[in-house]
Amino acid sequence: MVLEEAILQEVKEQGIEQGIEQEKRLVVIRTYEKGLPLTDIAQIAELSVEQVEQIIQTYEAEK
């Protein structure tokens, strides 16, 4: 039973992390669409400018 609980806890934590990352991507996209500078977006989303650029490139490619 302990192993099952540990696995469930790990899955839960991964789901939370994925949700946080998804929300950060949404923040980046929304602020980008509003015309904010990439440095401001990075600061708001607590990401590097390079990470912001990568999210935006992926977003633009999927449009």
Side-chain angles (χ1 to χ4, degrees), residues 48-63:
S48 69
V49 173
E50 292 79 17
Q51 289 171 306
V52 169
E53 289 172 338
Q54 185 178 27
I55 291 168
I56 291 169
Q57 286 174 355
T58 302
Y59 169 70
E60 290 291 343
E62 293 175 353
K63 272 183 153 179

Side-chain angles (χ1 to χ4, degrees), residues 21-47:
E21 291 302 315
Q22 183 177 13
E23 185 62 28
K24 283 186 178 190
R25 285 191 297 273
L26 288 173
V27 167
V28 168
I29 291 165
R30 288 178 182 149
T31 53
Y32 168 71
E33 289 179 337
K34 297 269 186 200
L36 269 69
L38 297 185
T39 53
D40 291 350
I41 296 171
Q43 186 177 15
I44 291 166
E46 298 180 343
L47 298 169

Side-chain angles (χ1 to χ4, degrees), residues 6-23:
I7 292 171
L8 288 174
Q9 181 64 26
E10 180 65 25
V11 169
K12 181 179 176 181
E13 289 173 7
Q14 287 176 358
I16 291 170
E17 289 174 19
Q18 288 175 349
I20 290 169
E21 291 302 315
Q22 183 177 13
E23 185 62 28

